[in-house]
Amino acid sequence: MDKKENKALSVLANLDVAVASVILAILIVLTFLGVIWRYIFSAPFTWLEEVQTSCMVWIVFAAAGAAFRNGNHVAIEMIVDLMPKSMQKVMNVLISVVVVVVIGFLFIQSIGFIQVFLKSGRSTSMLKIPYSLVYGIAIVSYIDMIISYFFSVITGVKSEAKEAASSDE
């Protein structure tokens, strides 16, 4: 039973990666088919750009939490690394506060943004996909980012640059 629980927890913890991966596969297949239909059959998919744009939005937002968990977000650590150890700790706390405040602000703003789309009923022109569905992933993503950020801080996840630098020593 313990192995099943660990597997279920692992699947749940990487659900964002799975969603981003499936949507990336859909994007690749549709883009490939779009090229074939346009250049070989001379019958382009008029709706393809809408789907591609929506897929890209979902891929970026779905994978953002995973980037925090794996230390893959862009970070300029050189200045902090030059500081004394005690100052580095202070800077890490300050950076954490800034990250949480910015993500919290974006979360609150995205709620208002989605509400506007829900009230207006605005949708894409060809397929009539509601914009609230296209951008609704943002709300879930910001929650995932906060959870993943705290997970990375608690577990001590290092950025890829720090990992590479520490393996050279």
Side-chain angles (χ1 to χ4, degrees):
M1 185 71 172
D2 191 33
K3 229 178 193 181
K4 271 189 175 179
E5 286 176 7
N6 285 340
K7 185 168 175 99
L9 188 59
S10 176
V11 168
L12 185 60
N14 292 304
L15 187 59
D16 50 3
V17 176
V19 168
S21 299
V22 167
I23 294 173
L24 178 61
I26 291 168
L27 176 63
I28 291 168
V29 168
L30 287 176
T31 301
F32 180 74
L33 291 174
V35 169
I36 292 191
W37 255 253
R38 175 180 294 272
Y39 292 107
I40 294 178
F41 300 120
S42 297
F45 297 145
T46 55
W47 48 265
L48 186 58
E49 184 181 354
E50 286 181 4
V51 175
Q52 288 171 321
T53 303
S54 299
C55 284
M56 285 187 260
V57 168
W58 271 70
I59 291 166
V60 167
F61 277 108
F68 272 118
R69 280 195 313 279
N70 298 318
N72 290 331
H73 269 293
V74 174
I76 302 172
E77 301 162 331
M78 184 174 69
I79 295 171
V80 175
D81 290 344
L82 292 173
M83 296 177 177
K85 292 287 184 196
S86 60
M87 191 63 180
Q88 286 181 13
K89 290 180 182 180
V90 171
M91 288 302 296
N92 286 335
V93 169
L94 182 63
I95 290 167
S96 293
V97 168
V98 169
V99 167
V100 170
V101 167
V102 168
I103 293 174
F105 175 77
L106 292 172
F107 173 74
I108 291 166
Q109 294 301 311
S110 68
I111 291 172
F113 190 62
I114 301 303
Q115 285 176 336
V116 168
F117 285 138
L118 286 170
K119 288 177 184 172
S120 69
R122 198 160 166 230
S123 60
T124 61
S125 57
M126 296 294 290
L127 295 177
K128 303 297 182 207
I129 302 169
Y131 279 118
S132 57
L133 178 65
V134 173
Y135 295 106
I137 184 71
I139 294 171
V140 176
S141 176
Y142 291 130
I143 294 168
D144 183 31
M145 281 188 239
I146 291 289
I147 293 168
S148 297
Y149 180 72
F150 283 119
F151 172 81
S152 69
V153 168
I154 291 168
T155 58
V157 172
K158 293 181 181 179
S159 70
E160 287 183 348
K162 279 192 176 179
E163 286 281 333
S166 65
S167 67
D168 290 343
E169 296 171 0

